[in-house]
């Protein structure tokens, strides 16, 4: 879940909103983390207690709601994956100077290779681990070197000068929107760790995932805030605009841009793989033959191919795509959450097999749901405006 969330969209959204909102973006981060906790703790627990994939669980409570959820997740996952491939193009542009379209093509083809050649997946896992650690070290270094106005950032975490609901909707969607909130839960199902006896482990993992992404976003925010506060203007709309890469380059120079490019590309590649796999697991709602084995692998590959073709065909700047997909998935997030909370409130006896669901968790989830619906209603226009940025 964390590797799916901390992808190119996560990084680009953080850089873009820090550049536009300044220290006030800290409030959006705080609100998004609170919503993320409420969403993920509920969804993961419900899925793992029942041992059912999200689509099947929804259908067991409300006929055909799982099919609707699957369509929404696949559409949202496709949007995410188009953005992830775009992020791969930006990463290779920063690393090697490749045209973003060519870089996106290379990223998509390599992701396909990971699913078709088992050894390739092992190699990618190890490379991504090293680059992921490098991303953390590099971000902390830039956060220290850029000298951000920490006091102002802390103040505006709770008392912001401005509040932008489209921004909050977007970063919530980029962290637990669409397929991401189900990614870890579906991996738990694949590992066999299901049922009420695993509730504590699932709860701990869901909290840890959000803490990791929340801390990483705040550190990244401070790093870029220091650069922006120093007077550096980041390009947010150019054809090959990579605002986070520019910020890292402003502190670490050309070598920093190259290293950042490698890290950004690795984040994009893992996100392509995660989005394609998790989105494909939902399709078993329509046909059990797609649940495992080669049918699942081929469906996943087809998902990447479609994402790649769409990316190569459209003309939207990659950075704008990466921001939009988070907002789009933030808009559809409340729909699936509504079904899951209905199960928690009213279907404990039959769907949950008599499991007594924590009332406090339902209350927290319901508050997050109400806020998410309200923010989505305020954000539809601004979110689609990101495509024209």
């Amino acid at each position: 879940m964390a590797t799916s969330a901390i992808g190119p969209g996560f990084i680009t959204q953080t850089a873009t909103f820090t550049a536009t909102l300044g220290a006030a973006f800290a409030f959006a981060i705080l609100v998004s983390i609170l919503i993320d906790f409420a969403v993920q703790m509920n969804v993961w627990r419900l899925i793992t207690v029942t041992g059912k994939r999200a689509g099947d669980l929804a259908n067991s409570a409300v006929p055909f709601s799982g099919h609707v959820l699957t369509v929404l997740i696949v559409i949202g996952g496709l949007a995410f994956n188009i953005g992830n491939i775009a992020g791969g193009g930006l990463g290779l542009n920063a690393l090697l100077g490749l045209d973003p379209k060519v870089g996106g093509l290379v990223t998509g083809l390599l992701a396909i290779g990971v699913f078709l050649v088992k050894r390739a997946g092992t190699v990618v896992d190890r490379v991504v681990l090293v680059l992921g650690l490098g991303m953390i070290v590099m971000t902390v270094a830039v956060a220290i070197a850029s000298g951000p106005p920490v006091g102002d950032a802390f103040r505006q975490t709770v008392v912001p000068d401005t509040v932008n609901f489209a921004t909050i909707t977007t970063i919530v969607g980029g962290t637990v929107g669409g397929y991401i909130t189900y990614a870890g839960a579906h991996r738990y199902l694949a590992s066999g760790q299901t049922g009420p006896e695993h509730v504590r482990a699932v709860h701990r993992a869901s909290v840890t995932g959000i803490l990791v992404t929340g801390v990483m976003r705040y550190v990244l925010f401070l790093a870029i805030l220091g650069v922006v506060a120093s007077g550096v203007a980041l390009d947010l709309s150019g054809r090959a605009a990579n605002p986070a890469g520019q910020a890292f380059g402003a502190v670490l120079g050309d070598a920093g841009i190259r290293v950042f490019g490698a890290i950004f590309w690795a984040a994009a590649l893992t996100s392509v793989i995660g989005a394609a796999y998790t989105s494909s697991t939902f399709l078993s709602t329509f046909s059990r033959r797609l649940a495992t084995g080669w049918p699942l692998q081929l469906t996943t590959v087809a998902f990447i191919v479609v994402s790649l073709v769409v990316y190569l065909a459209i003309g939207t700047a990659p950075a704008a795509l990466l921001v939009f997909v988070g907002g789009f998935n933030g808009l559809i997030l409340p729909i699936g959450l509504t079904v899951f909370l209905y199960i928690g409130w009213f279907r404990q006896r039959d769907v949950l097999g008599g499991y007594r669901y924590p009332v406090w968790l339902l209350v927290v989830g319901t508050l997050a749901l109400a806020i998410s619906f309200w923010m989505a209603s305020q954000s539809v226009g601004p979110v689609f405006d990101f495509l024209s940025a």
Side-chain angles (χ1 to χ4, degrees):
M1 171 266 153
T3 56
S4 292
I6 306 175
F10 177 99
I11 296 169
T12 302
Q13 291 157 20
T14 303
T16 299
F17 294 135
T18 302
T20 55
L21 297 176
F25 181 49
F27 177 75
I29 295 175
L30 175 62
V31 174
S32 73
I33 290 173
L34 295 176
I35 294 174
D36 293 345
F37 273 126
V39 172
Q40 186 152 292
M41 287 190 297
N42 276 288
V43 170
W44 280 35
R45 182 174 295 218
L46 285 163
I47 288 175
T48 54
V49 163
T50 60
K52 295 180 180 179
R53 287 180 175 173
D56 296 329
L57 177 56
N59 273 344
S60 67
V62 182
F64 302 108
S65 65
H67 293 83
V68 174
L69 179 62
T70 294
V71 171
L72 291 174
I73 294 300
V74 169
I75 292 173
L78 184 64
F80 256 126
N81 234 22
I82 294 167
N84 291 332
I85 291 173
L90 284 181
L92 290 181
N93 173 262
L95 175 63
L96 303 173
L98 290 179
D99 180 274
K101 291 287 186 183
V102 176
L105 176 62
V106 171
T107 303
L109 293 177
L110 183 57
I112 291 171
V114 168
F115 282 102
L116 296 180
V117 181
K118 291 184 178 180
R119 290 185 180 179
T122 302
V123 173
V124 168
D125 282 345
R126 291 174 180 173
V127 170
V128 166
L129 175 61
V130 173
L131 291 177
L133 294 173
M135 180 69 184
I136 295 172
V137 172
M138 196 175 183
T139 303
V140 171
V142 172
I144 295 172
S146 65
V150 176
D152 190 34
F154 285 171
R155 177 184 68 81
Q156 297 209 50
T157 300
V158 292
V159 186
D161 291 342
T162 182
V163 177
N164 187 306
F165 294 109
T167 296
I168 301 173
T169 298
T170 297
I171 61 176
V172 168
T175 309
V176 295
Y179 79 95
I180 294 177
T181 194
Y182 305 101
H186 280 195
R187 288 291 292 162
Y188 257 108
L189 297 188
S191 72
Q193 298 181 64
T194 60
E197 64 271 23
H198 292 287
V199 160
R200 287 190 177 181
V202 170
H203 180 81
R204 185 167 56 250
S206 64
V207 169
T208 301
I210 295 302
L211 279 176
V212 168
T213 55
V215 170
M216 188 63 190
R217 192 187 293 277
Y218 204 87
V219 173
L220 181 60
F221 153 70
L222 289 175
I224 296 168
L225 180 63
V227 173
V228 172
S230 71
V232 175
L234 303 181
D235 176 17
L236 304 178
S237 59
R239 186 81 196 109
N242 190 342
Q246 296 165 42
F248 277 65
V251 176
L252 303 177
D254 184 65
I257 294 178
R258 303 283 180 187
V259 175
F260 176 84
I263 293 169
F264 194 81
W265 173 76
L269 180 62
T270 56
S271 294
V272 170
I273 293 169
Y277 173 79
T278 307
S279 298
S280 296
T281 61
F282 272 83
L283 294 175
S284 63
T285 305
F286 288 96
S287 174
R288 293 293 180 189
R289 289 180 296 178
L290 301 176
T292 57
W294 273 105
L296 177 59
Q297 282 187 290
L298 293 177
T299 302
T300 305
V301 169
F303 193 89
I304 298 174
V305 170
V306 172
S307 305
L308 179 58
V309 170
V310 173
Y311 167 66
L312 295 175
I314 60 179
T316 305
L321 270 176
L322 287 167
V323 176
F324 166 75
V325 296
F328 179 78
N329 279 280
L331 294 177
I332 65 177
L333 170 66
I335 299 172
L337 184 58
T338 298
V339 177
F340 281 88
L341 288 175
Y342 163 73
I343 295 171
W345 277 113
F346 303 109
R347 303 299 296 273
Q348 294 183 27
R349 180 170 296 181
D350 53 351
V351 176
L352 297 186
Y355 174 72
R356 296 184 63 181
Y357 202 85
V359 174
W360 71 268
L361 200 51
L362 289 170
V363 171
V364 168
T366 302
L367 288 173
L369 176 64
I371 294 171
S372 298
F373 263 122
W374 187 82
M375 289 196 306
S377 70
Q378 302 296 307
S379 307
V380 175
V383 164
F384 280 89
D385 286 343
F386 290 142
L387 285 174
S388 59

